[in-house]
Amino acid sequence: MNSMLKSDTMNSMLATGPGQTAGPVPQGINRPGRIGGWCYDHRRIVLAAWIIGLLALFGAASGLGPHFRDNFGGVGQAQQVQDILHEQFPSRSGDSARVVFHSPGPIDAATDRITEALNGIRPLPAVVSVSPPIRADDGHTAFATIQFDAVSADLAKPEVQRVIDTARSYAQPDLDVALGGQPISVAVKPKPGPSEAIGIGAAILIMLVAFGSVVAMGLPILVALVGVGVGYAVVALVSHLLTEPSFGPALMAMIGLGVGIDYALFIVTRYRQGLTDGLDPRAALLHAMATAGRAVLFAGTTVLISLCGLFLVGQQFLDGLAAGTILAVLTVLAATITLLPALLGFAGHTIDRWRVPGPLRSATTGAERGLWWQWSRVVQQRPVLCGSAALLALLVLAVPTFAMRLAFSDSGNDPAELTTRQAYDLLSDAYGPGFNGPLVLVAELPGAASDHAVLTAFEQRLATVPGIARAAATLYNASGDAAVLTVYPTSDPQSADTAALVERLRNSVVPQATTGTDVRILVGGQTAAGIDESAHLGTRLPWVIGLVILLSFVLLMAVFRSIAIPLKAAAMNLLSIGAAYGAIVAVYQWGWLSMIFGVTRTGPIDPWIPLMMFTITFGLSMDYEVFLLSRIQEEWRRRQDNSAAVAHGIAATGRIITAAAAIMVCVFGSFVIDDPLRTLNVFGLGLAVAILVDATVVRMILAPAIMQLLGRANWWLPRWLDRITPHLAIETDDAQFG
């Protein structure tokens, strides 16, 4: 009983700082300190539990195997086409792929070899049919269509791989064989790049400079790696229940490493300062968890809340991405709150062992009147000039956002060594890029003889429609009341011209051909499904943004008891995400700085990326917002001097926020320079730019300028609103970020 009373008393004392009166600490607010103390005292049990849990989860995940699926469709007219195919043309209800043959000499000389290859593919499992080869006008290329019995997301990888291996076994020095199409992408994936290793290496260097100690540097890295490892195993298991895309684990690792290292960084920094202030290791740990630990817990909660906005979209693959990322954040947060205190218990005073020469000042050095304090005063002395310059810079960076075009990127962006990219290039050169993404048109014919005449006239009309390269022969079902047509556009699947062709067919050509008849013609296929999905996600983006901003506004208002602060935070976060959107459009859609970023082919932005970028960036930006504003609020309550509070808050948090942001920028940026997947390149650049802008232009220029101009209005909250708004608190002490 006495030990419990002492623990409670210590926690209460540690929640205060110099000049503050110790008082009762709310039970919920003090919980991280209690959890940290328990984990410190039972560190061997905690460490053993994490090791056993990690091994058990990896064993279960390895036993079941992951079940990642790239299923991005399911909305609009393309889904209706899929439903009709399933009912009326069961043999055509699956997805199709293309096997391409190319010879430097006349392709006719390889006719026997091509026939043998196609005959070898026909009897394979999951293959419904293989069409006769279609020779190109160049005389060197031919391709055939492979019809599978299921959509790509439901195809078994081994069965697809067997098709690939069989086809490519017929390749010879004078005959190239390549396969393309969405089903082939199920089995063909680029080898992961060393992105995570590069990001971790950069984080190690940054923390060595910031901490000057190998042990202090190693703990955040170790905690983040354990959290990400557990998160990967959990995501692999969840992939059996939810639709988790194949790039989900890489995305999870990107986010998990960033937030995991950052969260542990804040707590280790606070722990080291406690030791410097004369506390024993256990008291320093309680101090760190009761202050920085609470801030980390609150910051992690904001990330989770923002990610929950993705469930508004109503798409299975985004539900899977959201769930996977949420699990990643939860696992690294759990590791930070439980495993890190246990490891600090083992480290004790040796946290500063193995120091490296020449680092920056120790994390325990006071920041008062230092570089960041002087910088804040410079901004505060010229708030209009500095704020206007920062705002103008952000608006200029955000300008390309208004030209963003949402569409799924095609196989032309795959690495050159993949067979999907090789098939794409061969088809584009010999037939035209549109042969990589045929449109599938389905006609419903009630049965009248005149309906067949309408369809015949429609087929003839297709030959004159701009943007159509070729239309294959129409196929009827057994009862003659439905037909399917395959149309090849002149433009590639991700092109705006292809999207315009789909719109022209649906809104003009089809209505003109079927007006006054009972014939119903729908436009679908994999390319059209991507177009429909892009449109759907584009309409949901404003709703997600609106809900996340509303929830964060209420949360910040409850914490900081202010109207101006949450409004400012929402506006500045929108500016940060706008700058990030502008950067990815300029680089990957317009091709600016393409040599620097290794962009070999420009294209649209995959429609899920802006959604994920907003939710993640908003959550991470709120982390820095909370860390900065909680310190400013503390100084305001003590001094009632807004200008001094802002300067002290910037000074106290500037270096640690800069180090944390630098780590995130390096982790995210590593996916830009050395990852083979374009989607991860785009995502990594967007997040890196957003964090860089947020931690520099926004936090260090725009925020102090606006808060200086607002003065006491920063802390105004109407009394009636104060009465009905729940009270949340993030207790800090004077040295939390020193």
Side-chain angles (χ1 to χ4, degrees), residues 152-224:
S152 301
D154 296 330
L155 288 171
K157 179 179 178 180
E159 293 179 348
V160 177
Q161 187 62 54
R162 187 173 175 185
V163 171
I164 297 172
D165 294 340
T166 300
R168 303 204 72 175
S169 68
Y170 289 91
Q172 292 180 329
D174 60 346
L175 181 65
D176 296 327
V177 181
L179 296 95
Q182 189 62 32
I184 306 303
S185 298
V186 169
V188 176
K189 300 292 181 185
K191 294 181 180 179
S195 305
E196 293 89 346
I198 294 174
I200 292 173
I204 289 174
L205 292 177
I206 293 170
M207 285 193 293
L208 276 177
V209 172
F211 284 146
S213 162
V214 174
V215 176
M217 171 275 299
L219 289 182
I221 297 290
L222 178 60
V223 169

Side-chain angles (χ1 to χ4, degrees), residues 233-297:
V234 173
V235 169
L237 293 173
V238 170
S239 68
H240 291 272
L241 303 175
L242 299 174
T243 301
E244 182 75 27
S246 59
F247 53 81
L251 187 64
M252 180 274 297
M254 183 193 304
I255 306 305
L257 284 175
V259 299
I261 294 173
D262 266 15
Y263 291 165
L265 171 68
F266 286 116
I267 293 176
V268 170
T269 299
R270 192 65 196 87
Y271 172 79
R272 294 177 73 218
Q273 182 169 354
L275 295 179
T276 301
D277 291 343
L279 298 176
D280 63 71
R282 188 179 190 280
L285 183 277
L286 290 175
H287 201 180
M289 297 304 297
T291 53
R294 286 197 298 270
V296 163
L297 193 60

Side-chain angles (χ1 to χ4, degrees), residues 15 117 140 208 260 284 368 438 528 541 550 663:
H140 300 283
L208 276 177
E368 185 72 33
L541 180 60
L550 177 62
I663 290 171

Side-chain angles (χ1 to χ4, degrees), residues 535-603:
H536 174 75
L537 295 179
T539 60
R540 292 302 180 98
L541 180 60
W543 290 97
V544 173
I545 291 175
L547 177 66
V548 171
I549 289 178
L550 177 62
L551 291 176
S552 63
F553 177 89
V554 173
L555 196 61
L556 286 178
M557 184 175 64
V559 170
F560 295 108
R561 319 308 297 174
S562 166
I563 291 291
I565 283 179
L567 284 175
K568 172 185 65 68
M572 292 194 303
N573 285 332
L574 286 176
L575 288 171
S576 296
I577 194 65
Y581 284 169
I584 62 175
V585 170
V587 173
Y588 291 99
Q589 186 174 317
W590 292 354
W592 292 8
L593 304 177
S594 57
M595 294 294 294
I596 295 177
F597 291 98
V599 180
T600 59
R601 182 171 180 250
T602 59

